[in-house]
Amino acid sequence: MKLWGGRFTKEENQLVHNFNESLSFDQKFYRQDIEGSIAHVTMLAKQGIVSEEDREAILGGLRGILADLDSGKLTFTKEHEDIHSFVEANLIQRIGEAGKRLHTGRSRNDQVALDMKLYCRDEIGEIDALVKALLEALLEIMENNLDTYMPGFTHLQKAQPVTLAHHIGAYFEMFFRDRSRLHDMKKRMNTCPLGAGALAGTTYPLDREYSSALLGFDGPTQNSMDSVSDRDYLIELMSALSMIAMHLSRFSEEIIIWNSNEYRFVELDDAYSTGSSIMPQKKNPDIAELVRGKTGRVYGALISLLTTMKGLPLAYNKDMQEDKELSFDAIDTVKGCLALFTGMISTTTFRKDVMESSAKSGFTNATDAADYLVSHGVPFRDAHTIVGQLVLLCLDKGIALDDLSLEEFRAVSPVFGEDIYEAISMETCVKRRITTGAPGQDAMKQAIQVYKRRLADGSGD
Ligand code: ARG
């Protein structure tokens, strides 16, 4: 009984350890954990809370751990509960007594709050650079396609002619807002929780302003209970990532449609498509499909974190450890999607001829034909009916409005003259759309100047 009982207890303890541990995933921010400890001990020594000798020993030990983890000389071992315990135990092993003083005036609660913020801040920098690279790729496509005519759609039905530059410009706007959101949240999250302790600060005379400045924050957090239990910034980040994923997914969906046999607007580079194991003719847009598909797990991280937080009383609760795995996954997923999508879109061939003939064959110039009548004094409602009759006639004959003879035009309305052909040509339809934000070349050139300035001044705002 005893033997069995002992064995059972041991096994259960192991299960508890496995369930409770976070080292298997929070090792991801070992750099930030050590960076935080370096700032903490520097501040402790400045305040006379630890001696200068101990500070030097601790700094040496921490830098050694960092170098050994970076080089792979030191590896993570399962017996430690989390990255904080791992680093501290390793430090004590390396430098002895002095190592035991590092955790003075600190709790793992403010430590993990700090580590996660530092990690997110670094990752936001990387995501921002990836969004910027995508914006640059889009801008290049825009500059090369001011005269590439294509149908603009509503309800996925051909509506009015636009240009590829204009269509891509819509995505530029979306990803620009994404960038601005990242910048915006980075400003809001940039306060330092270190020194909040477990929840109620500490009795040591910590200089929180000093450690905050050492770590590049705008200042210390103002309420210690909020400091250790705030995960709003992470929810904002998951929300910003969800929005990026949603934009990438919409764009991917369009690429998938444009790549279909029916559309053939684009030719994907071989490097970004795959074949079928059974159908030799297939070239599938797998990368675009995967980017679209991965959106679900990014949304999952957002919803999961919101749900984890919704019932938590102040201050720290272990539930918060659940903030890590899914958000790490969402961050890595979005970074991967951005990099792959940028590679795919910048190697895609846009088939200008197919796009233009598609715009011509879909009555996208019907509104312009009606506008022509209006400019000749016909009330818009009557013009709408007249052009509707012409569209019916064309559908019957299987031709475009441009293919009707002048007699056919005039049979429906004598207002039509020879200049109707010029008025409804793709070139005219687009060129005359001159208002700010419209597809006309002049308006687009202005937009491109604005976009260039936005990219050059480095801000997302
Ligand atoms: N691994 C923990 C987390 O991620 C660190 C904080 C532990 N604090 C505690 N009071 N058990 O939340």
Side-chain angles (χ1 to χ4, degrees):
M1 175 77 188
K2 238 183 171 190
L3 263 184
W4 183 88
R7 184 183 155 80
F8 179 81
T9 306
K10 199 172 172 204
E11 202 176 347
E12 193 177 30
N13 281 344
Q14 189 58 48
L15 287 178
V16 169
H17 174 85
N18 292 347
F19 193 70
N20 194 45
E21 71 86 29
S22 56
L23 182 62
S24 55
F25 46 89
D26 64 17
Q27 56 180 260
K28 208 168 169 77
F29 50 59
Y30 73 84
R31 272 191 205 90
Q32 288 80 5
D33 189 73
I34 294 173
E35 191 190 340
S37 289
I38 288 175
H40 183 61
V41 74
T42 306
M43 181 277 294
L44 288 180
K46 181 183 93 67
Q47 297 301 95
I49 301 166
V50 300
S51 70
E52 304 221 327
E53 298 72 52
D54 283 346
R55 177 194 64 200
E56 286 314 300
I58 292 171
L59 288 179
L62 288 172
R63 290 189 182 122
I65 295 172
L66 182 60
D68 290 351
L69 284 173
D70 279 344
S71 70
K73 201 167 133 196
L74 179 61
T75 49
F76 298 103
T77 41
K78 275 190 167 199
E79 74 264 23
H80 300 286
E81 187 186 323
D82 52 33
I83 186 62
H84 326 294
S85 325
F86 174 86
V87 172
E88 193 173 325
N90 213 276
L91 182 70
I92 295 168
Q93 209 180 7
R94 278 177 195 236
I95 66 165
E97 280 302 296
K100 297 182 185 167
R101 299 190 196 281
L102 170 63
H103 211 52
T104 314
R106 188 175 71 173
S107 154
R108 279 185 303 167
N109 296 353
D110 59 343
Q111 190 176 359
V112 76
L114 171 69
D115 292 1
M116 208 48 192
K117 266 195 176 177
L118 289 174
Y119 183 80
C120 287
R121 210 175 60 178
D122 292 346
E123 290 296 315
I124 289 171
E126 290 190 23
I127 298 162
D128 181 55
L130 287 164
V131 178
K132 185 174 186 223
L134 174 56
L135 288 172
E136 281 162 355
L138 297 185
L139 198 56
E140 192 178 327
I141 298 171
M142 289 170 72
E143 287 193 282
N144 294 333
N145 289 284
L146 288 169
D147 295 316
T148 304
Y149 302 106
M150 65 177 291
F153 298 86
T154 62
H155 316 273
L156 204 52
Q157 309 268 333
K158 293 179 191 178
Q160 291 177 343
V162 294
T163 64
L164 180 60
H166 192 244
H167 196 115
I168 298 286
Y171 285 101
F172 188 101
E173 292 285 346
M174 294 181 223
F175 292 115
F176 175 74
R177 285 195 295 273
D178 287 329
R179 207 169 166 223
S180 146
R181 234 182 310 275
L182 291 172
H183 290 206
D184 186 41
M185 65 150 300
K186 198 168 162 185
K187 272 185 231 146
R188 195 166 24 256
M189 73 175 277
N190 205 28
T191 51
C192 184
L194 188 60
L199 79 161
T202 163
T203 53
Y204 297 98
L206 307 184
D207 185 347
R208 294 195 59 214
E209 279 71 17
Y210 181 70
S211 42
S212 157
L214 287 179
L215 291 164
F217 286 101
D218 297 331
T221 49
Q222 292 300 318
N223 180 293
S224 59
M225 291 177 86
D226 179 55
S227 310
V228 292
S229 63
D230 165 34
R231 297 294 181 272
D232 291 3
Y233 69 91
L234 197 53
I235 293 172
E236 280 194 58
L237 178 56
M238 291 307 108
S239 166
L241 293 184
S242 295
M243 202 89 83
I244 294 175
M246 181 266 287
H247 292 152
L248 284 172
S249 184
R250 289 184 72 180
F251 207 165
S252 294
E253 171 72 6
E254 300 227 59
I255 295 295
I256 293 161
I257 292 172
W258 291 358
N259 183 62
S260 68
N261 297 339
E262 286 68 24
Y263 276 74
R264 295 172 60 250
F265 280 10
V266 293
E267 175 81 41
L268 294 177
D269 193 85
D270 278 3
Y272 289 92
S273 16
T274 55
S276 154
S277 60
I278 180 170
M279 298 166 283
Q281 83 282 11
K282 289 292 276 292
K283 189 171 151 186
N284 298 327
D286 288 35
I287 299 304
E289 288 173 354
L290 272 175
V291 169
R292 186 180 59 183
K294 284 178 189 291
T295 309
R297 58 204 273 182
V298 182
Y299 291 1
L302 171 64
I303 298 302
S304 159
L305 194 51
L306 281 167
T307 311
T308 298
M309 294 304 294
K310 78 182 258 293
L312 297 189
L314 288 174
Y316 177 84
N317 299 272
K318 188 75 174 212
D319 315 45
M320 289 174 183
Q321 181 166 289
E322 287 296 311
D323 66 355
K324 295 178 189 63
E325 285 162 288
L326 283 168
S327 43
F328 291 159
D329 180 72
I331 290 168
D332 291 343
T333 298
V334 168
K335 279 163 72 180
C337 288
L338 280 166
L340 266 293
F341 192 91
T342 302
M344 180 184 74
I345 200 75
S346 41
T347 52
T348 294
T349 307
F350 294 95
R351 306 190 56 188
K352 302 184 182 195
D353 51 335
V354 181
M355 288 181 164
E356 184 166 345
S357 66
S358 168
K360 279 191 175 149
S361 67
F363 303 107
T364 58
N365 51 4
T367 316
D368 298 82
D371 288 345
Y372 170 92
L373 292 174
V374 171
S375 72
H376 287 74
V378 180
F380 181 76
R381 193 48 57 211
D382 294 342
H384 189 283
T385 307
I386 292 167
V387 177
Q389 286 166 358
L390 288 169
V391 167
L392 267 183
L393 179 63
C394 288
L395 283 173
D396 207 35
K397 301 179 87 172
I399 58 172
L401 279 175
D402 317 54
D403 302 326
L404 289 171
S405 68
L406 187 57
E407 288 66 46
E408 286 168 317
F409 271 114
R410 292 176 66 89
V412 181
S413 167
V415 178
F416 285 114
E418 188 60 47
D419 55 349
I420 178 62
Y421 296 104
E422 153 90 62
I424 61 170
S425 75
M426 280 301 111
E427 291 77 6
T428 311
C429 291
V430 169
K431 198 169 76 199
R432 289 185 51 206
R433 290 184 150 76
I434 49 171
T435 44
T436 302
Q441 285 81 355
D442 288 345
M444 275 308 303
K445 279 181 192 155
Q446 273 183 32
I448 286 175
Q449 288 317 311
V450 172
Y451 295 162
K452 278 190 172 162
R453 242 178 288 130
R454 284 183 188 172
L455 283 180
D457 74 14
S459 76
D461 327 297

